[in-house]
Amino acid sequence: MTLRTIFLAALLLPATLAAQAPLTLNDAVRLGRARGVQGEIARLNARAADRRAGEQTGALLPNISASGALSRQTNNLTEFGLAIPGFPPVTDPFTLYALRARATQVLFDGSVLDRVRGGAAEAHAASYDATAGADAAGQAAGLAWLRAVSAEETVRAREADSVVAAELLRMAQQQLAAGASAAIDVTRAEVNVAVIRGQLVEARNARAQSRLDLNRALFFPADTVIALADTLDAGTTDLPSDEAGAVAFAMAHRPEMAAERERTRAAALQRSAVTWENLPSVAGFGQVNESGIKADSLHYSWSVGLQVNVPIFDGLRRQRRAQEQSAKLDAQQFREKDLQNAIAIEARSALLDLTSAREAVEVAGVRLALATQELQQAEERFRAGAAGSVETSQAQLGLFSARDALIQSKVNLGSARVRAYRALGALDQMR
């Protein structure tokens, strides 16, 4: 089954997808980017921004209008300074039919051109925001998958702990029956069994809750049953390993950075547009008319022309708007610099977390091996009567803790991988 097929099936029949193919971490990230609510809302906002940019483009296209009028009226000739002997000063009522069509076209207006380019820059920024929103949704889905798989492995660990606790209880009962140990050893073993049973109940509840969270992150119905890949082992990481390379990679690939650059460009164009308002603009126009006092005998007339608008003084409003846009541009440039610093810190921090998480997994693996060996040795000593249940109980708790530490370290490594890809702007390349 190809990834495209998985996506299509996930969109239509998520429960069927879950039954056919276990969901891996990479699958969860990809589905989150494609289906996540946050990403979808960002994409809809980007579409709205693109439509707003289209409105700005309309200022460069011809403006055509048509009108028709039918009026019954009289004219006062004295209003026009006319006094014709033998004619009354006010005409008799008559009907006037009028049809008009007018077209205007901007030939040159620097402010309009810059506003159109500024609107396009805002649309590009919204498009990058949509990518960032998809990445955020993908990261949330990946982390939800990690919590779900962690909860699944915790349940299995508690079930394995229950087996160990039951075996130690059986050994304690045998030792008591043989007179080789005291009743307190059996009691301690029974306490451990009860504790593990309670932890198993909690682990199963946490597993169910994590499944609901995963369905929410993937925008699946709450009753969807997803088959999860049963491993927390990390995949490959092909990100830059040195801090300078990671920062440079993040600057080039983070969609948030690209969005801020586009917003800075849009702010600069808006300021330039206000400056252009101080210069002349040129537009052409044309009009045709059909008018007359009878509908079947209208008379045709037309006019064409060129209009030059020269701004002179508007109460300093343009100057104030230019100053306002300059302040907005300064603020946007400051936001861009702040984001650059934040991305650099995130990239460096992500590499540190990734390195530390890998080392923690290795340490946790060694700890689990030692804890297993310690429990085996404690059991042998208990069977031989060389030690009591205190030693085996402590070894048992050490094994339980080591298992939890290994699970958590693997979860932390998976989380570090997801966050590293997100911090460097390469979540769509995660594998």
Side-chain angles (χ1 to χ4, degrees):
M1 180 180 292
T2 64
L3 182 59
R4 179 179 178 83
T5 303
I6 292 176
F7 280 161
L8 292 175
L11 292 172
L12 299 175
L13 296 171
T16 302
L17 169 66
Q20 292 179 350
L23 192 71
T24 66
L25 174 58
N26 294 350
D27 293 336
V29 170
R30 294 188 185 100
L31 282 174
R33 295 184 79 251
R35 296 179 54 90
V37 175
Q38 185 175 352
E40 184 60 26
I41 291 175
R43 284 188 287 270
L44 293 173
N45 288 336
R47 190 171 70 183
D50 184 67
R51 300 303 181 269
R52 286 195 300 270
E55 293 178 16
Q56 298 284 350
T57 305
L60 296 176
L61 301 178
N63 190 344
I64 302 173
S65 62
S67 64
L70 170 63
S71 62
R72 183 71 177 170
Q73 64 186 69
T74 61
N75 280 340
N76 186 351
L77 299 179
T78 59
E79 181 182 354
F80 302 99
L82 299 176
I84 303 175
F87 285 89
V90 178
T91 65
D92 293 334
F94 64 94
T95 301
L96 180 64
Y97 300 88
L99 299 174
R100 293 184 176 85
R102 181 177 177 83
T104 60
Q105 172 64 59
V106 173
L107 301 179
F108 176 77
D109 190 332
S111 65
V112 171
L113 292 173
D114 277 350
R115 286 194 175 91
V116 170
R117 287 195 286 263
E122 289 285 356
H124 292 156
S127 177
Y128 287 121
D129 286 340
T131 302
D135 286 348
Q139 175 178 307
L143 297 179
W145 181 92
L146 287 166
R147 290 191 295 271
V149 176
S150 170
E152 194 76 40
E153 294 209 1
T154 299
V155 169
R156 286 197 290 268
R158 294 292 82 80
E159 289 172 347
D161 295 342
S162 298
V163 173
V164 173
E167 176 61 19
L168 290 177
L169 175 59
R170 186 187 64 80
M171 289 173 52
Q173 290 171 340
Q174 289 177 348
Q175 292 290 84
L176 177 63
S181 66
I184 188 64
D185 293 329
V186 175
T187 303
R188 289 195 185 101
E190 290 175 342
V191 169
N192 286 338
V193 169
V195 169
I196 296 303
R197 186 180 301 165
Q199 292 177 348
L200 180 59
V201 171
E202 293 177 0
R204 286 171 175 167
N205 178 67
R207 178 179 61 182
Q209 294 289 346
S210 66
R211 289 302 190 107
L212 292 174
D213 293 340
L214 181 58
N215 285 342
R216 179 71 179 92
L218 296 178
F219 199 51
F220 284 167
D223 58 351
T224 302
V225 179
I226 302 175
L228 301 177
D230 59 352
T231 178
L232 281 172
D233 293 335
T236 60
T237 302
D238 55 353
L239 299 175
S241 57
D242 61 296
E243 292 186 355
V247 171
F249 189 93
M251 292 299 175
H253 292 83
R254 281 288 290 269
E256 296 93 338
M257 192 70 252
E260 287 304 317
R261 292 193 189 104
E262 289 297 323
R263 289 192 180 92
T264 300
R265 187 165 71 91
L269 287 168
Q270 292 296 336
R271 183 183 65 176
S272 176
V274 177
T275 303
W276 274 106
E277 291 180 6
N278 294 293
L279 301 177
S281 60
V282 182
F285 66 88
Q287 180 172 304
V288 294
N289 304 292
E290 290 273 355
S291 60
I293 59 176
K294 293 183 179 180
D296 57 353
S297 60
L298 302 180
H299 300 285
Y300 174 77
S301 63
W302 57 270
S303 64
V304 295
L306 193 67
Q307 176 179 328
V308 178
N309 181 40
V310 181
I312 298 176
F313 183 74
D314 68 345
L316 299 178
R317 286 192 292 271
R318 286 189 297 271
Q319 288 77 4
R320 298 294 181 265
R321 288 205 309 275
Q323 293 169 359
E324 177 188 0
Q325 290 300 326
S326 294
K328 290 182 177 180
L329 176 58
D330 291 341
Q332 175 56 36
Q333 289 173 336
F334 185 82
R335 281 192 292 269
E336 182 179 341
K337 291 179 181 178
D338 177 64
L339 181 61
Q340 287 177 346
N341 186 49
I343 288 177
I345 292 174
E346 286 180 19
R348 294 173 185 271
S349 177
L351 289 187
L352 292 174
D353 289 343
L354 196 56
T355 301
S356 175
R358 288 197 183 101
E359 295 175 354
V361 170
E362 295 177 2
V363 172
V366 173
R367 177 183 173 185
L368 178 59
L370 292 174
T372 302
Q373 182 180 355
E374 180 186 10
L375 180 60
Q376 291 173 350
Q377 293 173 351
E379 288 176 354
E380 292 173 358
R381 286 169 54 81
F382 184 70
R383 288 191 187 98
S389 61
V390 173
E391 186 173 322
T392 57
S393 296
Q394 290 177 343
Q396 183 181 11
L397 293 176
L399 177 61
F400 300 164
S401 177
R403 281 176 176 161
D404 287 344
L406 181 59
I407 293 172
Q408 188 59 50
S409 65
K410 288 183 177 181
V411 171
N412 292 342
L413 178 55
S415 300
R417 286 185 64 241
V418 172
R419 291 191 171 95
Y421 276 98
R422 173 78 173 92
L424 272 65
L427 198 61
D428 58 334
Q429 305 171 24
M430 183 175 171
R431 61 178 183 273

